[in-house]
Amino acid sequence: MSGPSDARKSAGLAKMVGVAIGAFALTFALVPLYRIACEKVFGIRLERTAAEGVGEARATAAKRLITVQFDGGVNSKLPWEFTPNKVTMQVVPGEQYEATYHARNTSDRTIVGSAVPSVAPARASGFFNKTECFCFTAQTLKAGEVRDMPVRFIVDPNLPADVNTITLSYTFFKNDVLTAQQQGTAKPAASPLSAP
C-alpha cells in the first residue's frame, strides 16, 4: 500500500534528477557564455584554445609547400650508376611521399653496396623522417642488374618556417665483406677449436 510518503519520495527524486540535468547543461553553457560576456561586454579577447591552435597549425602546414631536392652518387670503388629518378619534388608537411633512385651494376660480377644518407641543411634532418629506405639494408646487384630503389618520407609540420628547401643525398659504398661472400672469395673464419 503506497502512501503519501512514497509520492513525496518520487517527487523528491524527480526534482533531484532535474537539478542534476540542469547543472550539467549549465556547466556546458558557461564556457561559451563566459567567452561572449568577456568579448562583447568587457572587450577582452580570450586566448585561443589548444585545439583551435592545433587546427590552425595543421591548416597552415597544409598550405605550406617544401621543395625536396634529391641527389645521389657512388664511391669511386663501386662500379655502379646511381641517380635519382626525379631531381625535385614539392611536398606538403605531414603527408607521406615516395621518391625512387635508379641503380645499375656496370660490372661483370655481383656486388653489394650500402647507402649512406644525408640531409641538408643539417637543422632540417630532425624534421625529415624516412619511413622506408633502401639505406636500411645492404643492396645486392648482380652483374648488369638494374633496379629502382624507393624511399618513403614525411616532412614534419614543425619544420622551422625559414627552411623551404631540403636536400636528400645518398652516397653508395662498396661493402667489401658482403661482396666477397657473394662472390665466394671470402676467407672462412678460423675455428676457435682448431689447433694453432
Side-chain angles (χ1 to χ4, degrees):
M1 193 171 164
S2 60
S5 76
D6 286 340
R8 276 187 260 145
K9 285 181 184 176
S10 293
L13 181 61
K15 286 181 184 177
M16 287 176 46
V17 169
V19 168
I21 291 172
F24 186 75
L26 182 62
T27 301
F28 279 99
L30 281 178
V31 173
L33 289 174
Y34 178 72
R35 183 176 301 277
I36 290 169
C38 286
E39 291 180 7
K40 301 295 182 189
V41 177
F42 303 112
I44 300 171
R45 176 90 176 134
L46 298 176
E47 292 293 323
R48 293 174 302 166
T49 64
E52 289 171 344
V54 168
E56 286 184 17
R58 285 187 183 148
T60 301
K63 293 177 187 173
R64 184 178 180 196
L65 284 177
I66 303 298
T67 301
V68 179
Q69 299 174 334
F70 303 98
D71 184 37
V74 295
N75 178 273
S76 60
K77 290 176 58 178
L78 183 64
W80 284 10
E81 292 173 356
F82 178 71
T83 56
N85 284 325
K86 198 172 190 180
V87 179
T88 62
M89 182 184 291
Q90 295 289 313
V91 304
V92 175
E95 295 183 15
Q96 181 167 293
Y97 292 87
E98 179 178 292
T100 56
Y101 281 77
H102 179 79
R104 183 168 79 92
N105 182 349
T106 59
S107 76
D108 58 356
R109 61 192 187 284
T110 299
I111 296 182
V112 181
S114 297
V116 177
S118 66
V119 175
R123 64 195 186 102
S125 62
F127 301 94
F128 192 90
N129 305 307
K130 294 184 291 298
T131 59
E132 182 182 326
C133 182
F134 52 86
C135 62
F136 297 153
T137 57
Q139 301 295 318
T140 303
L141 292 181
K142 295 178 182 172
E145 184 179 356
V146 174
R147 183 183 306 158
D148 280 339
M149 300 179 183
V151 56
R152 290 191 177 97
F153 62 91
I154 300 171
V155 175
D156 191 315
N158 296 316
L159 178 73
D162 61 332
V163 177
N164 297 311
T165 302
I166 298 174
T167 302
L168 174 63
S169 181
Y170 289 97
T171 303
F172 253 103
F173 293 88
K174 183 178 177 186
N175 188 319
D176 290 323
V177 173
L178 293 178
T179 296
Q181 288 175 356
Q182 285 289 326
Q183 295 172 358
T185 59
K187 295 179 182 175
S191 168
L193 301 176
S194 61

